[in-house]
Amino acid sequence: MDSSQTKKSQNNQQGDSHQFLQNVVVMRHGDRVDNFEPLWTMTAARPWDPHLVEEGRVRAFCTGRKIRNGLGFPIHRVFVSPFLRCIQTAHEVVYALCAVDDDPNSLSSKDVASIDPSKLKVSIEYGLSEMLNRQAIRANLAPKDGNFGFNASELQALLPAGTVDTSATRVYEELPKWEETVGGARDRYAQIIKALADKYPSENLLLVTHGEAVGVAVSAFAKDKSVYEVDYCAYVELKRPVESKNDSCSAGDFEVYTDHGKTGVSYVVGDGSLLDHV
């Protein structure tokens, strides 16, 4: 057997192997109305589920454009918390990511003439929900029966047409229960980030969620860092090596990737020294 035949035989025995980096971006929603209009909750039908103000929509769209043009890789899938502020944020971000004409003067989805919905798929994931406790939602604003009343079909209708993946199964089939502990919620965020990445190891993901989850995306995968501030639409980029072989994948550990520039997340390292924004 000559050398070429030997090499071919070895490849057949070992199987084709391919290594690549998987990217996961964890992003907070935009500016919520109750932080700008304190009396809004007094007349709201769903005071636990505020919508975005216009500034929040603009910030979300512009952040989506920043992700599209600045990270150097495409987003294949978007997963979003069922809370309205996250759904509306995802709507704007997806428009920015899928815009056919990437006009730098556009400020929101209203300025986009058309999108290419084939660029990515969007799914609602209950595991990305807000912390369901008094630390995140005042007890007098939470529904008395513990039913937050999310209707997946209605929420999907608020996302850009043609982008929703109705065949995707959720990691969390139900909303977490009211009065979960802060520690329990943080464990949930760390688990859902890894579970979604493991479910789609060959794709780059964007998770649109809440401030606490963005903080966990740093602290869970960089043990020496503690987040103290997460701005609206702030995001963290995670990377991990993935090896694909014989139709199976194995992944390494996530690392918090600190790109140049600022993305709105501030943290301290173990000795208490302040780092620049991620």
Side-chain angles (χ1 to χ4, degrees), residues 61-75 93 96-99 101-106 119 235 259-260:
F61 182 86
C62 292
T63 302
R65 180 195 291 128
K66 182 178 179 181
I67 290 172
R68 171 176 176 165
N69 296 332
L71 293 189
F73 55 81
I75 297 294
V93 171
L97 293 175
C98 296
D101 179 15
D102 185 19
D103 184 353
N105 296 315
S106 298
K119 285 183 174 294
Y235 62 88
D259 204 350
H260 61 82

Coordinates of all heavy atoms in Angstrom, one line a residue, residues 61-75 93 96-99 101-106 119 235 259-260:
F61 N -31.9 48.7 18.0 CA -31.5 48.6 16.5 C -30.1 48.9 16.3 O -29.4 48.2 15.5 CB -32.4 49.5 15.7 CG -32.2 49.5 14.2 CD1 -32.9 48.6 13.5 CD2 -31.3 50.4 13.6 CE1 -32.7 48.5 12.1 CE2 -31.1 50.3 12.3 CZ -31.8 49.4 11.5
C62 N -29.6 50.0 16.9 CA -28.2 50.4 16.7 C -27.2 49.4 17.3 O -26.1 49.2 16.7 CB -28.0 51.8 17.3 SG -28.9 53.1 16.4
T63 N -27.6 48.7 18.4 CA -26.8 47.7 18.9 C -26.8 46.5 18.0 O -25.7 45.8 17.7 CB -27.3 47.2 20.3 OG1 -27.3 48.4 21.2 CG2 -26.4 46.2 20.9
G64 N -27.9 46.2 17.4 CA -27.9 45.1 16.4 C -27.0 45.4 15.2 O -26.3 44.5 14.7
R65 N -27.0 46.6 14.7 CA -26.1 47.0 13.6 C -24.6 46.9 14.1 O -23.8 46.4 13.3 CB -26.4 48.4 13.2 CG -25.5 48.9 12.0 CD -25.5 50.4 11.8 NE -26.7 50.8 11.3 CZ -27.4 51.8 11.8 NH1 -27.0 52.4 12.9 NH2 -28.6 52.2 11.2
K66 N -24.4 47.3 15.3 CA -23.0 47.1 15.9 C -22.6 45.7 15.9 O -21.4 45.3 15.6 CB -22.9 47.7 17.3 CG -21.6 47.7 17.9 CD -21.6 48.4 19.3 CE -20.2 48.4 19.9 NZ -20.3 49.0 21.3
I67 N -23.5 44.8 16.3 CA -23.1 43.4 16.3 C -22.9 42.9 14.9 O -22.0 42.1 14.6 CB -24.3 42.6 17.0 CG1 -24.3 42.9 18.5 CG2 -24.2 41.1 16.8 CD1 -25.5 42.3 19.3
R68 N -23.8 43.3 14.0 CA -23.6 42.8 12.6 C -22.3 43.3 12.0 O -21.6 42.5 11.3 CB -24.8 43.4 11.7 CG -24.7 43.2 10.2 CD -25.9 43.7 9.5 NE -25.7 43.6 8.1 CZ -26.7 43.7 7.2 NH1 -27.9 43.9 7.6 NH2 -26.5 43.6 5.9
N69 N -21.9 44.5 12.2 CA -20.7 45.0 11.5 C -19.4 44.9 12.3 O -18.3 45.1 11.7 CB -21.0 46.5 11.2 CG -22.1 46.7 10.2 OD1 -22.4 45.9 9.4 ND2 -22.8 47.9 10.3
G70 N -19.5 44.7 13.6 CA -18.3 44.8 14.5 C -17.7 43.5 15.0 O -16.6 43.5 15.5
L71 N -18.5 42.4 15.0 CA -18.0 41.2 15.7 C -17.3 40.3 14.8 O -16.5 39.4 15.2 CB -19.2 40.5 16.3 CG -19.8 41.2 17.5 CD1 -20.8 40.3 18.2 CD2 -18.8 41.7 18.5
G72 N -17.4 40.4 13.5 CA -16.7 39.5 12.6 C -17.2 38.1 12.3 O -16.5 37.3 11.8
F73 N -18.4 37.9 12.8 CA -19.0 36.6 12.5 C -20.6 36.8 12.4 O -21.1 37.7 13.0 CB -18.7 35.6 13.6 CG -19.1 36.0 15.0 CD1 -20.4 35.9 15.5 CD2 -18.1 36.5 15.8 CE1 -20.7 36.3 16.8 CE2 -18.4 37.0 17.1 CZ -19.7 36.9 17.6
P74 N -21.2 35.9 11.7 CA -22.7 36.0 11.5 C -23.4 35.4 12.7 O -22.9 34.5 13.4 CB -23.0 35.2 10.3 CG -21.9 34.1 10.3 CD -20.7 34.8 10.8
I75 N -24.6 35.9 13.0 CA -25.5 35.3 14.0 C -26.5 34.4 13.2 O -27.1 34.8 12.3 CB -26.3 36.4 14.8 CG1 -25.4 37.3 15.6 CG2 -27.4 35.7 15.7 CD1 -24.6 36.6 16.7
V93 N -33.3 44.3 16.8 CA -32.0 43.7 16.5 C -32.0 42.8 15.3 O -31.1 42.9 14.4 CB -31.5 42.8 17.7 CG1 -30.2 42.0 17.4 CG2 -31.2 43.7 18.9
A96 N -32.0 44.8 12.2 CA -30.7 45.4 11.9 C -29.8 44.3 11.3 O -29.0 44.5 10.4 CB -30.0 45.9 13.2
L97 N -29.9 43.0 11.9 CA -29.1 41.9 11.4 C -29.5 41.5 10.0 O -28.6 41.0 9.2 CB -29.1 40.8 12.4 CG -28.5 41.0 13.8 CD1 -28.8 39.8 14.6 CD2 -27.0 41.2 13.7
C98 N -30.7 41.6 9.7 CA -31.2 41.0 8.4 C -31.5 42.1 7.3 O -32.0 41.7 6.3 CB -32.5 40.2 8.7 SG -32.3 38.8 9.7
A99 N -31.3 43.4 7.6 CA -31.6 44.4 6.7 C -30.9 44.2 5.3 O -29.7 43.9 5.3 CB -31.2 45.8 7.2
D101 N -30.6 46.4 2.9 CA -29.8 47.6 2.7 C -29.3 48.1 4.1 O -30.1 48.7 4.8 CB -30.6 48.7 2.0 CG -29.8 50.0 1.7 OD1 -28.5 49.9 1.9 OD2 -30.4 51.0 1.4
D102 N -28.1 47.9 4.4 CA -27.5 48.3 5.7 C -27.2 49.8 5.7 O -26.0 50.2 5.6 CB -26.3 47.5 6.0 CG -25.8 47.8 7.5 OD1 -26.5 48.3 8.3 OD2 -24.6 47.4 7.7
D103 N -28.3 50.6 5.8 CA -28.1 52.1 5.7 C -27.6 52.6 7.1 O -28.3 52.5 8.1 CB -29.4 52.7 5.4 CG -29.4 54.2 5.2 OD1 -28.3 54.8 5.5 OD2 -30.4 54.8 4.8
P104 N -26.5 53.2 7.2 CA -26.0 53.7 8.5 C -26.8 54.8 9.1 O -26.7 55.1 10.3 CB -24.6 54.2 8.1 CG -24.6 54.5 6.7 CD -25.5 53.5 6.1
N105 N -27.7 55.4 8.3 CA -28.6 56.5 8.8 C -29.9 55.9 9.4 O -30.6 56.7 10.0 CB -28.9 57.4 7.6 CG -27.7 58.2 7.1 OD1 -26.9 58.7 7.9 ND2 -27.6 58.2 5.8
S106 N -30.1 54.6 9.2 CA -31.3 54.0 9.8 C -31.2 54.0 11.4 O -30.1 53.7 11.9 CB -31.5 52.6 9.3 OG -31.7 52.6 7.9
K119 N -31.6 34.8 6.8 CA -30.3 35.0 7.5 C -30.2 34.3 8.8 O -29.1 33.9 9.3 CB -29.9 36.5 7.6 CG -29.5 37.1 6.3 CD -29.1 38.6 6.5 CE -28.6 39.2 5.3 NZ -27.3 38.6 4.8
Y235 N -23.9 44.0 26.1 CA -23.8 42.5 25.7 C -22.4 42.0 26.0 O -21.4 42.8 26.1 CB -24.1 42.3 24.2 CG -23.2 43.0 23.2 CD1 -22.0 42.5 22.7 CD2 -23.6 44.3 22.7 CE1 -21.2 43.1 21.8 CE2 -22.8 45.0 21.8 CZ -21.6 44.4 21.4 OH -20.8 45.0 20.4
D259 N -13.6 42.3 23.6 CA -13.2 42.9 22.4 C -12.9 44.4 22.7 O -13.2 44.9 23.8 CB -14.4 42.9 21.4 CG -14.0 43.0 20.0 OD1 -12.9 43.3 19.7 OD2 -14.9 42.8 19.1
H260 N -12.3 45.0 21.7 CA -11.9 46.4 21.9 C -13.2 47.2 21.9 O -14.3 46.8 21.3 CB -11.0 46.9 20.8 CG -11.6 46.7 19.4 ND1 -12.5 47.7 18.8 CD2 -11.5 45.8 18.5 CE1 -12.8 47.3 17.7 NE2 -12.2 46.1 17.4

